[in-house]
């Protein structure tokens, strides 16, 4: 009969520990640490993650980040082109601080077009944390501090140009970030609940329940989404407030969006039911609730986070499309889709192509979320062999 | 105690008495799940396990050995039959009929070691959580006491207790199997069902694990139901062996009797088919024709008759019963009395 | 070239083969100086545990290992059916030359037949395709040849089964179909990678018997890759034992089992339970675990687990191949530093 030290393994561990602390920290790394190791090697996903994070920070502090009140009209600046930022003044002198010149508009009597002319007599330096239009942060805290702007209250800087009413487009896009990015989140949270419940029930119980829910999901998925949205959105009363419309749109989007999540949850639940460690837990006398919350839910949490991230951009696109068609959010709400409505007619696009900038924001946000989601999905199962 | 047959080895008390255990899986079609057939995974299986022994359960894939083991632990619910478990308090209970609290109480006394050391451990849990899971589930210990018990268990199976904060991904297959063994032993069970505990391990690591299981048995007085397809391992570790073929027990005997004087033609063929790691001892072998019968479409009469070299007309039509011949060897074969079969050398 | 000279009865000579994978966790030296040779008409058993590089060795011979070309070193000298002698490692891995050899001169079968077959074509069409890839004959002739081959692998009602899809066959039948596909072009060498590991013992006995019989009928050589010493004892005439990417011992099957030299071979044989009268003997386990491929020991790969390791020697350098008896070589310092003089060319 051999003793444990002969049959045993303590010696066998030593080679693995030769890598010193690194091996030990890997050995003691939790699932989230392992996921982070894997995710952080996905360079593009990390960059996109930072972009997404920035977008949500901006969305949280729009009033502060935007240089102007998005509704502040300035008829003199209608369709004004993006202001040029200068480092070198009209005399050819270099300045370390960027500055802009004031502009005045005048009608060109040959072409009858409005032209903007820089008034090079006074430089207006761009500064951080300037005082400007009054606002209430989150509708609560009165302030007039803005992230950047020009100190001189008379001069205005239009980094992305102005719209028909001479409103600063950049400020409007920044304000649009809040609705556009949050409607994605809110829609996903709603579909998350529907998806988890339906998918969980379907996968956990299996059998006839599973077959029936699967057919329902397939039915919902087979409906053409655009006409359905159009129909549902058109049914919204036109006298609803911005908030009411916002929530109604969220519900409409998530009524269709939950199916993908339900399928992810169902797939994971079905796979987990077959895992030996679930049976092992049962045979250890672990209660059903404990199995669900300590074994099953943590096992698919990471997959769900990845699926959620991939669902957000779908919601953003859907909102943009609806609002663009005038069936989603409406004035006075500001979202990227609403802003794009102004770019609907050819004439204004030809005259002021910067009106398409909100579209670029949609592209950036959607791409960033997609790459982030891909990275998360790849990292979601660090134990795959 | 049981009217079915006398105990082979009066040495041990009878711990488990399995009578007529049956597990059928319905084959269903369509949305209404109409039953169109049945997979007879386990079909009227009867055997017993004495306290302190290692009973081997052998057979090829699809013979129902794993389903039988799982029914005993109520990992799956048997369709029919009795599983009488005697915990020594004079009140034998039928595992097959236990539910809820009484079933949970039974789980303290019976545990399982899994085949796959990877999927049987939740990768998100530390060794402390994994090995301590049964202790927590039964509220046996927590906090410091739990850590001490887990440390003892880890040490007992040859792992360093300081590794209890580590996760299973840092361990090799053989080490993980030790973690699984430590978990199975946490509650001091009487019966351990080991389902192919070494077949997923590297050859050079198997012997460690087998020796560990033997040591633990002697030290803790464990009873093993050892499920395996590897006849060499079974001969090494088991006291008695049950041979199954397509859901039915075809032979039960003490290990030496079964290996040296098999009574069922299937046992003979199985033993003959095992490749022997000795090039100078290669005897002519019985190569069976065809393949294991489909448990959803079992041949008439004796399920083994289409492959049996000794089959006669009766085998095609009449289902043989399990009968005791000689020195308590049980066999399910019409010709058991007349055949003289070859065992291993 | 002189260093490619081989005795006439030699079919394949693998010399100091090295290959590996660059993974995120680091570089894995999957095969780390493996040398062995295969004679005409013999079965060589390559035994080892998971991660010892036995499968990668076989795949590297066919140049399907998926390792990068610059990780390759050593020689794989093969005598082609034309009599010409080629180093397979020098051929481009997707070039015409190697594709002519694959399937036609060296064929491979796997543990899981479903990986060899496409699920969307009948096995017959896949076998016919394999024939017509290497021989210019008509479809009808190829079909006749395929049915003939299926009969040779003892597939019952071969004319009917030829039109079956892989999933319609049982595990044993699929294995037979894969063997038929591998042998239909009459290769000189069959690489069998754990061909019976997934099968039941009774089916395993059928398949092993079949491979043995076909080897004799077709006069080919077989490289039987397995972790099961029983399978080796039963099928092979020569055995190469691999551990962590190296061939540590090579001998004819009888000497290897009767008089194993390398401590690893000895430990392995002492650790497996044996069927029969000796069953009661205690098992002597190999201590420790197989090291992780990212963390290979320096020096002799087995020294961390070896009962006869000599401190100061074994962890310093890798022992060379020493001939202990005719055709019995071992890489272990217990038996010498290694044969310096020749490269086994006699």
């Amino acid at each position: 009969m051999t003793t444990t030290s002969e049959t045993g393994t303590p010696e066998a561990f030593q080679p693995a520990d030769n890598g010193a602390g690194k091996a030990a920290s890997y050995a003691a790394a939790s699932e989230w640490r392992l996921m982070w190791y894997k995710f952080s090697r996905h360079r593009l996903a990390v960059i996109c993650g930072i972009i997404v994070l920035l977008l949500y920070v901006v969305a949280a502090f729009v009033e502060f980040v935007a240089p102007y009140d998005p509704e502040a009209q300035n008829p003199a600046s209608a369709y004004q082109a993006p202001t040029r930022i200068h480092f070198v003044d009209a005399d050819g002198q270099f300045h370390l601080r960027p500055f802009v010149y004031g502009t005045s508009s005048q009608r060109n009597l040959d072409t009858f077009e409005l032209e903007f002319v820089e008034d090079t007599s006074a430089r207006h330096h761009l500064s951080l944390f300037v005082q400007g239009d009054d606002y209430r942060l989150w509708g609560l805290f009165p302030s007039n501090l803005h992230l950047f702007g020009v100190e001189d209250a008379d001069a205005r800087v239009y980094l992305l140009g102005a719209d028909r009413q001479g409103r600063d487009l950049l400020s409007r896009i920044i304000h649009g970030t809040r609705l556009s990015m949050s409607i994605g989140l809110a829609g996903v949270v709603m579909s998350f609940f529907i998806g988890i419940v339906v998918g969980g029930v379907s996968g956990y119980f299996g059998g006839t329940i599973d077959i029936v829910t699967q057919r329902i999901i397939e039915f919902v998925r087979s409906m053409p989404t655009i006409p359905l949205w159009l129909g549902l959105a058109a049914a919204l009363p036109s006298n609803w407030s911005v908030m009411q419309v916002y929530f109604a749109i969220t519900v409409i989007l998530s009524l269709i969006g939950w199916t993908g999540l339900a399928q992810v949850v169902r797939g994971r639940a079905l796979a987990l039911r077959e895992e030996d460690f679930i049976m092992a837990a049962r045979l250890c006398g672990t209660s059903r609730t404990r199995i669900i919350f300590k074994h099953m839910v943590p096992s698919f949490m990471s997959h769900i986070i990845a699926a959620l991230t991939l669902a957000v951009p779908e919601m953003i696109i859907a909102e943009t499309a609806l609002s663009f068609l005038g069936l989603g959010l409406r004035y006075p709400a500001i979202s990227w889709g609403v802003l794009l409505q102004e770019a609907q007619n050819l004439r204004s696009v030809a005259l002021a192509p910067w009106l398409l900038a909100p579209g670029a924001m949609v592209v950036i946000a959607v791409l960033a979320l997609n790459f982030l989601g891909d990275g998360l999905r790849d990292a979601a199962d660090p134990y795959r062999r | 105690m049981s009217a079915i047959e006398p105990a082979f080895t009066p040495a041990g008390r009878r711990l488990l008495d399995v009578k007529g255990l049956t597990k059928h899986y319905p084959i269903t079609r369509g949305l209404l799940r109409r039953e169109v057939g049945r997979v007879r995974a386990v079909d009227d299986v009867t055997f017993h396990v004495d306290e302190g022994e290692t009973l081997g359960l052998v057979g090829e894939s699809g013979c129902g050995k794993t389903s039988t083991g799982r029914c005993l632990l109520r990992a799956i619910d048997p369709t029919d039959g009795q599983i009488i478990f005697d915990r020594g308090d004079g009140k034998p209970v039928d595992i097959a009929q236990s539910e809820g609290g009484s079933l949970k109480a039974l789980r303290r006394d019976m545990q399982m070691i899994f085949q796959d050391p990877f999927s049987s451990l939740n990768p998100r849990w530390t060794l402390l959580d994994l090995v301590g899971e049964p202790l927590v589930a039964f509220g046996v210990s927590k906090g410091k006491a739990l850590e001490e018990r887990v440390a003892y268990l880890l040490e007992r199976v040859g792992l360093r207790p300081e590794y209890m904060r580590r996760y299973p991904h840092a361990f090799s297959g053989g080490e993980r199997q030790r973690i699984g063994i430590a978990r199975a032993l946490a509650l001091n069970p009487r019966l351990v069902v080991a389902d192919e505990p070494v077949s997923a391990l590297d050859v050079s690591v198997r012997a460690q694990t087998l020796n560990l299981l033997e040591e633990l048995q002697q030290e803790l007085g464990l009873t093993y139901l050892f499920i395996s397809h590897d006849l060499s391992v079974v001969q090494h570790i088991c006291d008695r062996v049950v041979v199954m073929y397509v859901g039915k027990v075809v032979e039960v005997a003490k290990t030496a009797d079964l290996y040296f004087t098999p009574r069922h033609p299937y046992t003979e063929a199985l033993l003959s088919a095992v490749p022997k790691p000795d090039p100078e001892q290669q005897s002519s072998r019985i190569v069976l024709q065809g393949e294991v019968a489909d448990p959803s479409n079992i041949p008439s009469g004796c399920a083994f008759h289409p492959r049996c070299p000794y089959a006669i007309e009766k085998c095609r039509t009449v289902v043989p019963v399990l009968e005791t011949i000689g020195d308590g060897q049980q066999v399910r074969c019409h010709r058991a009395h007349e055949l003289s079969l070859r065992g291993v050398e | 070239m002189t260093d490619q000279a081989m005795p006439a009865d030699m079919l394949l000579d693998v010399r100091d083969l090295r290959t590996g994978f660059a993974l995120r966790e680091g570089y894995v030296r999957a095969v780390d100086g493996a040398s062995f040779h295969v004679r005409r008409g013999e079965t060589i058993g390559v035994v080892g545990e998971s991660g010892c590089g036995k499968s990668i060795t076989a795949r590297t011979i066919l140049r399907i290992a998926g390792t990068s070309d610059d990780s390759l070193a050593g020689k794989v000298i093969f005598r082609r059916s034309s009599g010409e002698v080629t180093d397979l490692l020098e051929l481009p891995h997707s070039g015409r030359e190697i594709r002519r050899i694959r399937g036609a001169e060296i064929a491979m079968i796997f543990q899981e037949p479903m990986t060899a077959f496409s699920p969307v074509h009948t096995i017959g069409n896949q076998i016919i395709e394999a024939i017509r890839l290497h021989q210019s004959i008509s479809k009808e002739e190829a079909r006749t040849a395929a049915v003939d081959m299926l009969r040779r692998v003892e597939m019952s009602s071969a004319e009917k089964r030829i039109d079956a899809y892989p999933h319609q066959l049982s595990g044993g039948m699929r294995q037979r179909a894969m063997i038929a596909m591998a042998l239909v072009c009459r290769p000189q060498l069959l690489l069998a990678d754990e061909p019976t590991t997934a099968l039941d013992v009774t089916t395993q006995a059928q398949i092993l018997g079949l491979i043995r019989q076909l080897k004799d009928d077709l006069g080919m050589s077989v490289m039987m890759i397995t972790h099961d010493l029983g399978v080796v004892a039963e099928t092979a005439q020569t055995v190469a034992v691999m551990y962590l990417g190296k061939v540590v011992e090579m001998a004819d099957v009888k000497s290897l089992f009767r008089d194993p030299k390398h401590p690893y071979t000895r430990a392995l044989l002492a650790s497996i339970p044996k069927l029969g009268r000796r069953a009661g003997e205690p098992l002597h386990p190999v201590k420790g675990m197989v090291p992780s491929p990212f963390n290979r020991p320096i020096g002799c790969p087995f020294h961390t687990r070896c009962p006869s390791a000599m401190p100061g020697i074994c962890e310093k350098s890798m022992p060379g191949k020493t001939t202990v008896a005719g055709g019995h070589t071992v890489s272990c310092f217990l038996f010498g530093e290694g044969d310096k003089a020749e490269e086994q060319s006699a």
Side-chain angles (χ1 to χ4, degrees):
Chain A
M1 183 97 305
T2 40
T3 66
T4 313
S5 62
E6 277 168 39
T7 55
T9 48
E11 305 91 330
F13 281 116
Q14 274 151 6
D17 270 1
N18 284 349
K22 203 181 159 202
S25 77
Y26 172 75
S30 68
E31 180 191 18
W32 299 103
R33 284 269 293 285
L34 290 180
M35 278 179 66
W36 171 247
Y37 291 156
K38 213 170 161 186
F39 177 76
S40 58
R41 287 199 206 97
H42 202 316
R43 193 75 54 82
L44 184 62
V46 174
I47 295 171
C48 288
I50 295 170
I51 294 177
V52 170
L53 200 68
L54 274 177
L55 282 173
Y56 278 110
V57 169
V58 167
F61 299 99
V62 284
E63 293 92 344
F64 168 69
V65 177
Y68 298 109
D69 183 338
E71 297 302 337
Q73 302 185 2
N74 189 355
S77 315
Y79 290 132
Q80 181 174 332
T83 317
R84 279 185 63 192
I85 297 175
H86 298 267
F87 287 94
V88 179
D89 66 19
D91 308 328
Q93 221 177 337
F94 178 79
H95 299 263
L96 201 60
R97 266 177 83 186
F99 63 90
V100 294
Y101 288 120
T103 44
S104 58
S105 58
Q106 49 185 237
R107 190 71 64 184
N108 181 326
L109 292 177
D110 294 330
T111 60
F112 296 99
E113 275 176 9
L114 209 55
E115 286 181 351
F116 294 90
V117 182
E118 286 187 334
D119 170 14
T120 54
S121 61
R123 294 195 309 271
H124 304 286
H125 285 284
L126 286 174
S127 339
L128 290 173
F129 307 113
V130 296
Q131 310 212 321
D133 296 338
D134 292 332
Y135 60 85
R136 279 175 172 269
L137 185 64
W138 304 323
L140 293 174
F141 310 108
S143 170
N144 61 358
L145 199 65
H146 293 263
L147 178 64
F148 71 97
V150 284
E151 272 156 11
D152 189 346
D154 298 337
R156 291 179 81 88
V157 50
Y158 298 102
L159 286 185
L160 285 178
D163 67 2
R164 191 157 48 99
Q165 277 113 22
R167 294 175 295 200
D168 177 33
L169 191 59
L170 177 67
S171 299
R172 290 181 68 77
I173 288 178
I174 289 172
H175 276 263
T177 309
R178 179 171 281 172
L179 278 189
S180 289
M181 294 298 284
S182 70
I183 210 162
L185 269 195
V188 155
V189 168
M190 277 210 57
S191 16
F192 171 74
F193 283 111
I194 309 178
I196 275 209
V197 172
V198 176
V201 165
S202 180
Y204 190 81
F205 293 102
T208 314
I209 296 177
D210 183 41
I211 294 177
V212 171
T213 41
Q214 283 312 296
R215 295 299 91 78
I216 293 174
I217 288 178
E218 278 158 25
F219 174 72
V220 173
R221 293 210 123 182
S222 67
M223 284 193 282
T225 45
I226 294 271
L228 188 71
W229 285 334
L230 293 183
L232 287 172
L236 298 182
S238 55
N239 56 356
W240 274 15
S241 72
V242 169
M243 284 315 272
Q244 280 173 315
V245 174
Y246 176 87
F247 282 111
I249 296 286
T250 316
V251 171
I252 291 172
L253 293 181
S254 46
L255 277 180
I256 294 155
W258 63 272
T259 52
L261 281 165
Q263 282 181 329
V264 170
V265 174
R266 167 183 176 268
R268 290 300 304 162
L270 280 179
L272 275 173
R273 283 207 318 177
E274 302 302 316
E275 290 274 9
D276 281 350
F277 69 78
I278 300 288
M279 181 187 285
R282 229 157 36 87
L283 296 183
C284 284
T286 307
S287 68
R288 182 171 279 219
T289 354
R290 208 175 138 80
I291 289 179
I292 292 177
F293 288 102
K294 289 282 194 164
H295 280 291
M296 299 186 77
V297 171
S299 302
F300 55 62
M301 229 36 237
S302 55
H303 292 265
I304 287 181
I305 291 173
L308 285 175
T309 314
L310 288 170
V312 174
E314 283 178 40
M315 300 277 176
I316 293 180
I317 290 197
E319 181 276 325
T320 308
L322 277 184
S323 302
F324 178 76
L325 295 173
L327 291 159
L329 297 170
R330 290 184 276 253
Y331 179 85
I334 305 174
S335 79
W336 294 336
V338 173
L339 293 179
L340 278 174
Q341 264 185 291
E342 296 208 22
Q344 258 177 5
N345 67 66
L346 213 54
R347 202 177 62 90
S348 52
V349 172
L351 205 63
W354 51 88
L355 288 178
L356 288 172
M361 287 307 294
V362 174
V363 171
I364 290 171
V366 167
L367 278 182
L369 280 161
N370 271 329
F371 286 128
L372 172 66
D374 281 346
L376 288 175
R377 192 179 51 199
D378 292 346
D381 194 353
Y383 305 108
R384 201 169 40 212
R385 280 180 292 151
Chain B
M1 196 165 168
S2 159
I4 294 169
E5 82 283 292
F8 292 116
T9 44
R13 201 170 48 81
R14 207 170 263 200
L15 184 68
L16 195 69
D17 225 328
V18 180
K19 295 177 192 168
L21 183 68
T22 300
K23 175 68 187 174
H24 290 177
Y25 293 98
I27 307 169
T28 55
R29 291 267 156 75
L31 194 64
L32 298 173
R33 323 219 106 209
R34 196 164 43 84
E35 185 176 320
V36 293
R38 291 187 145 217
V39 178
R40 296 168 188 274
V42 181
D43 207 11
D44 192 17
V45 162
T46 298
F47 64 88
H48 70 268
V49 188
D50 287 328
E51 188 156 34
E53 75 167 347
T54 302
L55 179 71
L57 199 53
V58 301
E60 298 179 278
S61 56
C63 75
K65 55 186 193 299
T66 295
S67 297
T68 303
R70 295 190 166 186
C71 282
L72 298 191
L73 296 178
R74 287 293 297 278
I76 52 177
D77 293 334
T79 313
D80 199 7
Q82 287 179 300
I83 307 164
I84 310 292
F85 188 58
D86 182 0
R87 282 186 288 178
D89 54 2
K91 281 177 276 180
V93 276
D94 186 356
I95 298 175
Q97 299 298 326
S98 300
E99 289 303 333
S102 66
L103 182 60
K104 183 171 172 181
L106 279 169
R107 297 217 181 280
R108 265 190 102 132
D109 284 324
M110 42 187 210
Q111 283 294 320
M112 179 155 174
I113 299 170
F114 290 81
Q115 170 175 5
D116 186 345
F118 289 89
S119 77
S120 59
L121 302 176
N122 187 341
R124 290 158 191 85
W125 286 27
T126 62
L127 267 56
L128 175 63
D129 297 331
L130 288 165
V131 177
E133 184 172 20
L135 298 166
V136 172
F138 279 93
V140 176
S141 51
K142 56 183 178 190
K144 198 85 193 118
L146 180 70
E147 280 184 28
E148 276 165 18
R149 174 79 179 144
V150 170
Y152 165 78
L153 287 164
L154 289 178
E155 204 161 5
R156 192 59 211 79
V157 298
L159 295 170
R160 285 190 184 179
E162 359 3 333
Y163 289 150
M164 69 165 78
R165 307 268 173 215
R166 295 191 169 188
Y167 291 85
H169 66 250
F171 297 88
S172 71
E175 290 155 359
R176 288 174 185 228
Q177 200 58 303
R178 288 164 187 263
I179 302 171
I181 293 172
R183 174 175 62 189
L185 298 182
L187 291 166
N188 282 325
R190 286 161 197 275
L191 175 71
V192 173
V193 175
D195 189 358
E196 305 266 12
V198 298
S199 48
L201 304 182
D202 271 327
V203 186
S204 71
V205 177
R206 285 183 189 173
Q208 293 174 0
T209 313
L210 289 174
N211 283 358
L212 177 67
L213 288 173
E214 286 187 319
E215 270 173 58
L216 292 168
Q217 179 172 42
Q218 295 201 343
E219 197 175 306
L220 307 171
L222 297 170
T223 306
Y224 289 137
L225 182 71
F226 194 95
I227 301 170
S228 179
H229 70 279
D230 187 329
L231 290 151
S232 319
V233 169
V234 166
Q235 192 193 7
H236 177 80
I237 202 165
C238 296
D239 302 309
R240 289 191 308 126
V241 181
V242 175
V243 183
M244 289 183 70
Y245 186 74
V246 209
K248 283 197 156 64
V249 172
V250 295
E251 188 164 2
V252 185
K254 281 185 274 193
T255 305
D257 294 345
L258 188 101
Y259 279 73
F260 299 126
T261 54
R263 298 293 197 148
H264 197 284
Y266 177 62
T267 313
E268 181 192 38
L270 265 187
L271 292 171
S272 163
V274 179
K276 294 164 193 68
D278 185 351
E280 295 174 49
Q281 205 203 49
Q282 303 290 337
S283 45
S284 69
R285 70 180 20 143
I286 305 154
V287 176
L288 287 181
Q289 295 305 305
E291 294 184 31
V292 179
D294 178 359
S296 65
N297 185 16
I298 298 175
S300 63
C302 171
F304 186 58
H305 87 257
R307 306 176 72 193
C308 181
Y310 311 105
I312 52 173
E313 192 48 42
K314 190 183 178 191
C315 302
R316 259 176 270 281
T317 49
V318 183
V319 180
V321 292
L322 196 64
E323 55 181 329
T324 307
I325 56 171
D327 182 22
Q329 202 158 347
Q330 287 175 290
V331 59
R332 189 192 289 274
C333 176
H334 293 306
R335 301 188 65 195
H337 293 281
E338 41 177 316
L339 293 175
S340 148
L341 303 175
R342 196 174 53 161
V344 294
E345 279 104 49
Chain C
M1 275 162 74
T2 46
D3 65 336
Q4 293 197 353
M6 279 202 303
D9 69 334
M10 198 88 93
L11 183 65
L12 182 80
D13 191 1
V14 175
R15 297 180 195 167
D16 200 29
L17 178 69
R18 281 161 209 276
T19 186
F21 302 93
L23 296 178
R24 276 203 300 252
E25 291 86 347
Y27 185 75
V28 180
R29 281 175 296 165
V31 183
D32 195 19
S35 303
F36 59 91
H37 48 83
V38 185
R39 285 180 213 288
R40 271 182 198 287
E42 82 169 349
T43 298
I44 178 173
V46 178
V47 238
E49 298 174 85
S50 57
C52 75
K54 53 193 194 299
S55 290
I56 303 292
T57 303
R59 283 158 201 256
T60 307
I61 293 171
L62 273 183
R63 306 294 306 282
I64 54 169
T67 53
S68 69
D69 278 358
D70 37 316
S71 75
L72 285 177
K75 288 188 185 306
V76 176
I77 298 164
F78 177 63
R79 187 186 303 279
R80 306 202 39 186
S81 42
S82 58
E84 188 188 339
V85 169
T86 321
D87 182 356
L88 299 183
L89 294 193
E90 279 172 7
L91 304 178
H93 68 87
S94 52
R96 254 184 64 184
E97 279 298 289
I98 190 76
R99 277 190 283 129
R100 279 192 178 168
I101 293 174
R102 270 181 218 149
E105 298 192 39
I106 306 177
M108 187 156 178
I109 56 176
F110 304 88
Q111 175 177 339
E112 183 39 71
M114 283 309 260
T115 57
F117 283 112
S118 152
V120 296
H121 298 285
T122 64
I123 56 160
N125 281 340
Q126 296 183 59
I127 297 175
I128 291 167
E129 180 122 340
I131 302 175
R132 281 163 53 89
L133 202 62
H134 295 289
Q135 296 165 21
S136 44
I137 56 173
S138 76
K139 264 203 166 133
E140 288 68 37
E141 285 171 304
R143 191 181 165 89
T144 318
V147 172
D148 181 52
M149 200 62 226
L150 286 175
R151 280 209 196 101
R152 289 191 90 133
V153 297
E154 290 157 23
M155 175 104 69
S156 51
S157 48
E159 298 83 353
K160 250 189 275 164
R161 288 255 169 78
I162 191 170
D163 292 319
Y165 288 90
H167 68 266
Q168 295 170 322
L169 302 177
S170 69
M173 281 300 155
R174 277 204 288 266
Q175 208 70 29
R176 285 170 194 274
M178 180 167 62
I179 294 171
M181 181 156 87
L183 299 187
V184 75
C185 292
R186 307 288 141 95
Q188 303 187 70
L189 176 62
L190 177 69
L191 309 177
D193 188 1
E194 305 262 8
T196 58
T197 304
L199 302 175
D200 283 321
V201 267
T202 55
T203 319
Q204 164 169 289
Q206 296 170 355
I207 299 292
L208 291 181
L210 179 71
I211 293 177
R212 197 165 31 206
Q213 189 202 326
L214 288 167
K215 182 200 78 134
D216 291 341
D217 290 357
L218 307 177
M220 61 180 179
S221 307
V222 177
M223 189 169 140
M224 179 70 75
I225 297 158
T226 178
H227 68 277
D228 188 332
L229 289 160
V231 169
V232 170
E234 194 145 296
T235 53
Q237 285 88 55
T238 311
V239 184
V241 181
M242 286 189 78
Y243 186 74
L244 290 184
K246 293 185 164 76
V247 175
V248 294
E249 183 162 8
M250 185 164 168
D252 69 280
V253 70
K254 284 191 177 155
S255 336
L256 190 100
F257 280 86
R258 192 193 305 134
D259 187 18
K261 296 291 187 199
H262 197 282
Y264 175 62
T265 319
R266 279 195 242 164
L268 211 53
L269 281 169
S271 81
I272 53 168
K274 286 161 203 76
L275 202 62
R277 299 283 170 199
R278 288 155 65 203
E281 294 172 13
L283 303 179
H284 301 285
V286 190
K287 70 172 184 184
M289 303 283 164
V290 183
S292 133
F294 302 107
N295 216 336
R296 298 230 157 142
I298 299 161
C300 170
F302 190 57
H303 84 261
T304 52
R305 305 174 72 191
C306 180
S308 2
M310 296 174 285
I313 301 172
C314 296
E315 74 273 21
K316 290 271 158 48
S317 58
M318 175 63 202
K321 192 163 76 175
T322 309
T323 306
V324 287
H328 191 156
T329 56
V330 58
S331 298
C332 175
F333 285 120
L334 292 174
F335 303 93
E337 306 274 311
D339 306 338
K340 288 273 161 11
E342 89 290 42
E343 264 263 23
Q344 286 265 255
S345 52

